[in-house]
Amino acid sequence: MLLTGLTASLVPIQSVQAAASSSSKAKVKSVRQAKPAPRSPRKVAARAAAPVREVVPSKPSFGTMYGLHDTEDPLDLKSSVAYVVDQDTNEVLFSKNPSAVLPIASITKLMTALLVVEANQSLDDKIEITDDDKDTEKFTGSRLAVGTTLTRGELLHLALMSSENRAAHALGRNYPGGLETFVAAMNAKAHMLGMMDTHYVEPTGLSSRNQSSAADLAKLVKTAHAFPLIRELSTSSEYTVALGRKQVRFGTTNGLVRKGDWDIGLQKTGFINEAGQCLVMQAQLAGRKLIMVFLDSAGKYSRIGDAERVRKWLTGAASPLAAVATPAAATTVSATALTPVISAK
């Protein structure tokens, strides 16, 4: 207020009188000034001459190319593949294209973590990120610059929680015998677990040649869940590591981990264009331990939405979990079996 009063006192009396006598003109003038200024011919010409950038569509997922998204299901899931099974009884509660073999993206890192933990390598060993750990498949970036040194435990944490590709690659590269031996061990472990539709070519999931089925991945989740360290690191919501002189915070790739209404024992997400959005989880619902697999989901948040739809169904009045003494085959919901009775959408 003091500054305003001082400014007003410095205006000459003649100027004030002139402004008062021509107030109507000022109003008209202000209205005229409010009209938009005409475009500059030079700017218009420059815009017209600017090259038009071609929008390149993203590569379609394998599930899209195979027509799996045309499979209807009673829950209207956005994932072309879905599978829900009781961890203890192996009772299949929901099944949608469970045998389809598709790229699995960073779900791969769950097998990477399993091998590292089973090898009993020291989690305190220092591992340096090198040029060999750069992504030469999709050319993605990373906050782990070449020359960064972290412990094996820190790299394992970042690989499971934040899906850090360089961390996963460095873990495989530092396996006894090197990367080639590690990939061979991944495939040998898959075969031992009965994952006959599964094949790995590298430890990150960036390659679309890392492929599996939902039924196979459920076996992997069940096996990995037996390791407390994998459960702990995969369900961590955030983690801070020292990168040089800076403390850098990493977060989980699965928003459900932060939600208090979910009891998640293990989880892993994944995405590349060829695989779509993917998610595997172990969670407790209605007093039972369940394994959920969602592959090739269309949309950034659709895999989370699908998990919520399944949970709503399983905890609702029509839930098969509420059935008493019902044979497993009768409680199974199969998208393929129900397709004929569902109206087209």
Side-chain angles (χ1 to χ4, degrees), residues 107-274:
I107 306 299
T108 296
K109 294 183 177 72
L110 198 55
M111 178 62 85
T112 298
L114 179 61
L115 288 186
V116 171
V117 173
E118 284 191 332
N120 290 318
Q121 293 178 278
S122 174
L123 297 178
D124 296 325
D125 285 347
K126 299 283 187 176
I127 296 177
E128 182 180 357
I129 301 297
T130 70
D131 284 325
D132 291 334
D133 300 318
K134 288 183 177 180
D135 172 19
T136 58
E137 184 77 31
K138 298 290 190 292
F139 301 100
T140 57
S142 171
R143 288 193 284 175
L144 301 184
V146 172
T148 298
T149 300
L150 295 174
T151 66
R152 179 175 283 105
E154 289 172 324
L155 293 176
L156 185 62
H157 200 155
L158 296 181
L160 284 172
M161 181 193 72
S162 293
S163 211
E164 232 303 329
N165 292 312
R166 291 186 183 179
H169 193 276
L171 290 171
R173 183 171 52 80
N174 284 272
Y175 186 79
L179 187 60
E180 185 176 347
T181 300
F182 185 78
V183 174
M186 293 174 74
N187 288 302
K189 184 67 177 181
H191 190 272
M192 187 184 75
L193 295 177
M195 299 170 63
M196 300 307 176
D197 293 325
T198 301
H199 182 68
Y200 299 100
V201 299
E202 49 85 30
T204 70
L206 287 167
S207 173
S208 61
R209 292 185 293 160
N210 284 4
Q211 300 185 4
S212 186
S213 65
D216 274 10
L217 291 177
K219 297 175 183 177
L220 175 59
V221 171
K222 184 174 182 177
T223 302
H225 184 265
F227 293 85
L229 182 61
I230 296 179
R231 296 200 304 268
E232 176 187 352
L233 299 186
S234 72
T235 57
S236 174
S237 61
E238 62 179 53
Y239 185 55
T240 301
V241 295
L243 300 182
R245 297 180 180 179
K246 296 181 179 180
Q247 294 292 319
V248 180
R249 186 182 69 84
F250 291 77
T252 180
T253 56
N254 185 354
L256 293 179
V257 169
R258 297 190 179 94
K259 297 189 66 175
D261 55 350
W262 275 87
D263 185 3
I264 301 174
L266 179 147
Q267 69 81 35
K268 188 69 196 77
T269 63
F271 171 77
I272 55 175
N273 287 329
E274 298 93 328

Side-chain angles (χ1 to χ4, degrees), residues 59-77:
K59 184 183 298 184
S61 69
F62 280 33
T64 299
M65 292 189 292
Y66 295 158
L68 297 181
H69 280 283
D70 295 333
T71 304
E72 295 180 332
D73 68 78
L75 300 183
D76 194 24
L77 301 183

